[in-house]
Amino acid sequence: MARGRLRVLLGAAPGVGKTFTMLEEGRRLQREGRDVVVAIVETHGRAATSALVEGLEVLPRRSVDHRGVALDDLDLDAVLARLPEVALVDELAHTNAPGSPHAKRWQDVDALLEAGIDVLSTVNIQHIESLGDVVQGITGIAQRETIPDDVLRSADQVELVDLAPQALRDRLSEGLVYPAARVDAALSNYFRLGNLTALREIALLWLADEVDSALKRYREEQGITAPWEARERIVVALTGGPEGETLLRRAARIAARSSGGQLYAVHVTSPEGLAARDPEILAAQRALIEKLGGSFHQVVSDAIPQALVQFAQSVEATQLVIGVSRRSRIEAFFGGAGTSGAVIRLAGDIDVHIVSHAEAGRRRLPSLGAALSWKRRLAGFAVTLVGLPLLTWVLALVRSEESITSDVLLFQLLVVVVALVGGIWPAVVAAVGAGVLLDFFFVYPLFTVTISDPLHLLALVVFVIVAVLVSVVVDQAARRARAAARSAAEAEVLVAVAGGVLRGGDAVQSLVTRLRESFGMTSVLLRQDGELVAAARDAEVAADDDQESTMPLGRSGSLYLRGRPLTSSDRRILGAFVSQLDAALEQGRLRAEAEGVRPLAEADRLRSALLAAVGHDLRRPLAAATAAVTTLGSPDLTLGAADRAELLATAEESLASLSVLVTDLLDVSRLQAGVLGVSLADTGLDGVVSGAIDELGLAPGELTLDLAPVRDVRADPVLLQRVVVNLLSNALRFSPDGEPPLVATSEHGDRVQVRVVDTGPGIPEERREDVFVPFQRLGDTDNTVGVGLGLALSKGFVEAMGGTLDADDTPGGGLTMVVELTAAGGEPS
């Protein structure tokens, strides 16, 4: 039977008309031919509501006596017995009377839905569990009756029954909600205009978020990636400069013109930090965005346009607000469109607003990047400070009028070396310094800064330009090398992530550990349904400035990261980790389900083996007993005393074999069902071994005993004797002639061991666990030994007594069966 549909009417406060609307809808469905019943409705004495109940089938309520007070409540059994198409159930968050099938009414509704009944119900916003503290802060009243958020969010349809706050107060004043005696108190407390306005806003926002979530789920299911402008989402790009306040206020005005617009502010920093930015300005802008009702975000990336657009796409922004470039016209001419142009090219369907501000056009040094580390830049300056004086001194020793060309080339070589070591700034310093030294020491007139030949001046200018160009090339090469290294690292991480899931095992823990190591985080936690699934933590103590990030994982999981800020490229790789973790969790869930099915498969295998084995092993003794009894009872045969005795012995032996077989089968069934009766008592091993020897009828030379003084064991004496009998039977069967099996006892701490040793062919190590599986004979085709239950029963008996049974090698060849049990109190016997 298909599950019923749940439709919930949500209200901001009592009296908005939820029950009235529910009854109206019930009457409409009844007119359409639907089978509608009123399972329970609370009219609260309102005449208009009571009038709507007339004409609808009302099921009787269940009466419960609680401390001398008769309580009427929903009769769940009556509704299930009636089995209507639609049931009207008022007050979904209601707490049932003691003794009811469920503690909460929403649980009764879930039972109706499982029975295939559609349910129409009502609830107020203050009863939603996650909003309880918010509503209490507004109204000052704690809500005791709540409903889990998941229950309401899982409803097939949630509708808001809305009424303006003043209209609700008017209804209250007219006595349409509460009796006249309660009106004044209600108006001056819970139903104050401010309270009702706040509750209405909460209800509208909750429903809007639910609609937004439903829309997002729909787009994901349909594979729709293009943004839908169902709600305006405006992203403001902050540079950390003073123009940010202008951009924020402009964006806030854009958001205010659109109903329900959301405002985001994002600041993109380089991996090296907030260079050339005043943190106080950024802090003030963060406070401003929060005051304007928006949220502040920070992204770390070298590629500012790409990071801005990626963030805007991640929040499904419809508009992006950026400031006009602060570069001069000359810089724009030589440097291209800059960040603004790149954002416009990458934005796609997102509208881009370029806002002018007072800082526009003000010159500032362009960011030349930091592709090289600060250590290399220091090394470049060191080479400059040491190399220039040294080279000047060497060249001055061999100076001549014809050497100027070689002098320039050698200084040029030094500048190239500095550029390769330290990048652009050390190279620029080296180029200028080399130009000055060349002019002062090698260009005539010497020891002056005067240049007599214009060609020498041109040569110096070209010299500096070449040095700068070489430095730029080196800087770009360093950037590309770092990008290539990043790509290689990302590829390695992705291969490791995919391999971790494919290899199985504890893929979730390994993925979480690899995630922490890959991103250098202090800790990474994975929780599902509120429970910790996996964790990876650095041995070092977390720093106070560590940032915390949360990533949703699947339907009910979350990934918590603590450590450094994540860059936009980090988040891209993090998305791969999240996908693989989701797959690993799903793989674990499927593995758990498979493990749950395994006992059923094992039971089927045992059942099949039982039928196959019993079909043969029961036939043999039954056939022998039947033949013996038939012969004895035949009137046509004359039997002598010896023949009659032999036939009786055959029948007796066959029936005894049947008795043992049936007993073993019953014991196996009890073990499989977990209902084997065990009576533990202090048991002496001497008595158990003696009983087993008597049961097997062994002569003194057929068995060797080495019974050391040991304490009694906690065991069931009957079951333990059956274990020893089974083990001795196997040992006797496989022991060579003239080498009887050995029974030995020993004590180790609080454990006592019984060893049954034979010197037969033994069992390969890889097959030792198989001998304890029911109906296993390890390829032995001698069916006179039964169906292969002896060792399986023995292991089950020993484990039921809290012990262990293991198979081990006998030194020199053979098999040793070791029974280990817990020692009882007292002295060794």
Side-chain angles (χ1 to χ4, degrees):
M1 182 179 295
R3 180 178 170 87
R5 293 176 57 83
L6 175 60
R7 181 179 170 190
V8 180
L9 301 177
L10 176 67
V16 296
K18 302 181 302 300
T19 305
F20 191 91
T21 305
M22 179 183 71
L23 292 171
E24 280 189 326
E25 181 64 9
R27 295 171 70 91
R28 185 188 68 80
L29 294 174
Q30 186 183 57
R31 290 194 299 269
E32 292 179 357
R34 301 288 298 277
D35 181 14
V36 181
V37 300
V38 176
I40 189 166
V41 65
E42 302 294 346
T43 63
H44 299 291
R46 300 164 190 163
T49 305
S50 300
L52 287 176
V53 178
E54 296 178 5
L56 294 172
E57 180 183 351
V58 180
L59 296 182
R61 301 189 182 191
R62 185 174 63 90
S63 182
V64 179
D65 183 79
H66 180 60
R67 297 178 180 177
V69 179
L71 302 176
D72 292 334
D73 215 332
L74 170 67
D75 192 342
L76 178 61
D77 294 333
V79 182
L80 292 175
R82 172 64 174 75
L83 202 64
E85 288 185 64
V86 181
L88 306 184
V89 181
D90 206 5
E91 298 184 358
L92 187 60
H94 173 74
T95 300
N96 291 334
S100 300
H102 302 107
K104 294 288 188 178
R105 185 166 290 172
W106 62 264
Q107 294 172 313
D108 293 338
V109 168
D110 188 69
L112 297 178
L113 295 174
E114 286 295 332
I117 301 172
D118 293 343
V119 177
L120 182 59
S121 189
T122 64
V123 72
N124 282 327
I125 193 68
Q126 67 264 28
H127 295 300
I128 299 178
E129 190 166 11
S130 64
L131 299 177
D133 56 342
V134 179
V135 173
Q136 182 178 357
I138 296 171
T139 64
I141 299 175
Q143 298 296 327
R144 297 183 179 179
E145 292 185 330
T146 60
I147 179 175
D149 291 52
D150 290 341
V151 174
L152 194 55
R153 294 187 187 278
S154 64
D156 298 279
Q157 190 172 346
V158 179
E159 300 176 25
L160 180 66
V161 180
D162 189 32
L163 187 65
Q166 188 57 52
L168 178 56
R169 285 174 58 85
D170 293 341
R171 290 189 62 189
L172 193 66
S173 300
E174 295 167 4
L176 300 178
V177 179
Y178 290 152
R182 298 176 55 190
V183 170
D184 290 339
L187 286 173
S188 59
N189 291 283
Y190 192 91
F191 287 84
R192 287 180 296 181
L193 186 60
N195 289 359
L196 296 178
T197 303
L199 292 174
R200 187 189 188 200
E201 181 181 15
I202 293 173
L204 291 169
L205 291 174
W206 188 93
L207 191 60
D209 288 339
E210 181 62 17
V211 172
D212 196 50
S213 299
L215 179 61
K216 186 175 182 180
R217 287 194 299 270
Y218 172 80
R219 294 180 59 206
E220 290 175 351
E221 292 171 357
Q222 300 299 321
I224 300 172
T225 57
W228 284 4
E229 299 182 8
R231 181 190 298 189
E232 292 289 349
R233 295 180 176 87
I234 299 96
V235 174
V236 186
L238 299 178
T239 64
E243 73 277 8
E245 182 176 345
T246 303
L247 302 182
L248 288 174
R249 298 190 184 280
R250 176 61 175 167
R253 291 195 295 271
I254 296 174
R257 289 198 295 266
S258 61
S259 178
Q262 291 181 327
L263 188 61
Y264 303 87
V266 58
H267 175 60
V268 182
T269 67
S270 66
E272 285 72 32
L274 301 174
R277 291 293 179 268
D278 188 349
E280 294 182 0
I281 294 178
L282 203 60
Q285 292 172 2
R286 181 170 188 166
L288 177 60
I289 185 65
E290 293 174 353
K291 185 183 299 183
L292 294 173
S295 56
F296 179 87
H297 304 267
Q298 186 167 329
V299 177
V300 180
S301 176
D302 280 329
I304 294 177
Q306 289 83 349
L308 284 175
V309 174
Q310 286 176 7
F311 176 83
Q313 292 172 343
S314 68
V315 299
E316 299 182 352
T318 57
Q319 302 185 53
L320 180 59
V321 178
I322 60 178
V324 70
S325 176
R326 300 200 301 180
R327 299 185 306 166
S328 65
R329 293 181 180 180
I330 296 177
E331 289 174 325
F333 177 79
F334 287 102
T339 301
S340 303
V343 168
I344 293 173
R345 288 195 305 271
L346 297 171
D349 294 332
I350 302 175
D351 295 338
V352 179
H353 299 264
I354 301 179
V355 179
S356 182
H357 51 82
E359 299 293 321
R362 295 188 179 180
R363 294 180 58 85
R364 59 186 176 92
L365 288 175
S367 175
L368 296 176
L372 299 177
S373 66
W374 63 271
K375 292 183 179 180
R376 286 190 60 178
R377 291 196 293 272
L378 286 179
F381 283 115
V383 171
T384 301
L385 293 177
V386 174
L388 283 178
L390 182 61
L391 181 61
T392 302
W393 176 70
V394 171
L395 294 179
L397 296 177
V398 293
R399 179 175 51 214
S400 65
E401 294 184 2
E402 294 79 13
S403 65
I404 184 62
T405 303
S406 60
D407 295 340
V408 170
L409 291 176
L410 289 174
F411 273 103
Q412 183 70 68
L413 177 61
L414 177 61
V415 172
V416 171
V417 171
V418 171
L420 292 173
V421 173
I424 186 168
W425 290 117
V428 170
V429 173
V432 174
V436 173
L437 292 175
L438 277 171
D439 180 34
F440 193 82
F441 288 100
F442 301 100
V443 176
Y444 290 91
L446 299 178
F447 310 116
T448 66
V449 293
T450 302
I451 301 176
S452 58
D453 191 344
L455 291 178
H456 289 171
L457 176 61
L458 178 62
L460 288 177
V461 172
V462 171
F463 175 82
V464 174
I465 293 175
V466 170
V468 172
L469 292 177
V470 170
S471 303
V472 171
V473 171
V474 171
D475 192 71
Q476 290 180 348
R479 289 181 181 274
R480 292 193 177 96
R482 189 171 64 172
R486 171 79 185 195
S487 300
E490 290 179 357
E492 181 183 354
V493 168
L494 291 175
V495 170
V497 167
V501 175
L502 294 176
R503 285 191 294 272
D506 192 1
V508 174
Q509 181 60 51
S510 63
L511 282 172
V512 170
T513 303
R514 184 60 188 251
L515 191 155
R516 190 200 68 77
E517 294 173 350
S518 299
F519 294 104
M521 307 303 289
T522 304
S523 65
V524 177
L525 304 179
L526 173 60
R527 296 184 181 274
Q528 191 172 35
D529 295 324
E531 297 183 358
L532 182 63
V533 177
R537 297 180 175 87
D538 195 352
E540 299 179 0
V541 180
D544 294 336
D545 58 348
D546 283 348
Q547 293 191 10
E548 293 186 357
S549 304
T550 304
M551 291 283 292
L553 182 64
R555 295 183 178 180
S556 58
S558 296
L559 196 62
Y560 301 90
L561 301 95
R562 182 179 178 86
R564 66 175 180 83
L566 295 174
T567 65
S568 57
S569 57
D570 288 339
R571 292 184 180 274
R572 184 176 66 253
I573 301 301
L574 183 59
F577 271 100
V578 169
S579 299
Q580 294 296 334
L581 280 169
D582 193 16
L585 289 174
E586 180 68 13
Q587 187 183 74
R589 185 186 65 80
L590 295 176
R591 189 183 301 114
E593 291 181 356
E595 290 294 332
V597 175
R598 182 171 297 176
L600 298 177
E602 183 67 17
D604 288 338
R605 190 192 66 78
L606 289 175
R607 189 178 299 110
S608 300
L610 174 63
L611 293 174
V614 170
H616 179 276
D617 290 278
L618 279 179
R619 189 183 305 116
R620 181 180 54 80
L622 276 176
T626 302
V629 172
T630 302
T631 302
L632 288 170
S634 176
D636 299 330
L637 296 176
T638 302
L639 300 173
D643 293 334
R644 185 176 296 276
E646 184 178 352
L647 288 172
L648 287 172
T650 300
E652 182 180 0
E653 180 183 352
S654 299
L655 292 175
S657 298
L658 280 176
S659 176
V660 172
L661 178 59
V662 171
T663 300
D664 288 347
L665 290 173
L666 290 174
D667 287 337
V668 166
S669 300
R670 294 190 185 100
L671 282 172
Q672 294 292 331
V675 294
L676 180 68
V678 179
S679 300
L680 296 180
D682 293 354
T683 304
L685 293 181
D686 288 347
V688 171
V689 174
S690 299
I693 293 173
D694 293 339
E695 184 175 339
L696 292 172
L698 298 178
E702 294 179 303
L703 183 66
T704 302
L705 298 178
D706 183 13
L707 304 180
V710 295
R711 286 180 291 175
D712 292 349
V713 296
R714 293 292 295 171
D716 186 319
V718 176
L719 295 182
L720 184 56
Q721 182 169 317
R722 289 190 61 186
V723 170
V724 176
V725 168
N726 285 335
L727 297 181
L728 277 175
S729 298
N730 277 334
L732 289 167
R733 180 166 174 260
F734 291 103
S735 293
D737 294 336
E739 297 182 23
L742 168 70
V743 177
T745 59
S746 60
E747 184 174 342
H748 305 279
D750 62 344
R751 307 290 286 181
V752 176
Q753 290 185 349
V754 180
R755 294 175 172 266
V756 180
V757 184
D758 69 63
T759 56
I763 299 175
E765 185 174 355
E766 64 272 13
R767 299 295 307 277
R768 287 177 188 166
E769 290 299 321
D770 295 342
V771 300
F772 298 114
V773 178
F775 314 111
Q776 292 290 328
R777 296 194 186 95
L778 295 186
D780 186 11
T781 59
D782 182 6
N783 289 326
T784 63
V785 297
V787 294
L789 292 175
L791 290 178
L793 282 173
S794 298
K795 189 175 183 66
F797 290 162
V798 173
E799 290 179 348
M801 293 183 287
T804 59
L805 174 59
D806 299 304
D808 201 356
D809 286 326
T810 299
L815 182 68
T816 298
M817 305 299 292
V818 182
V819 178
E820 188 173 276
L821 296 166
T822 302
E827 297 296 326
S829 57

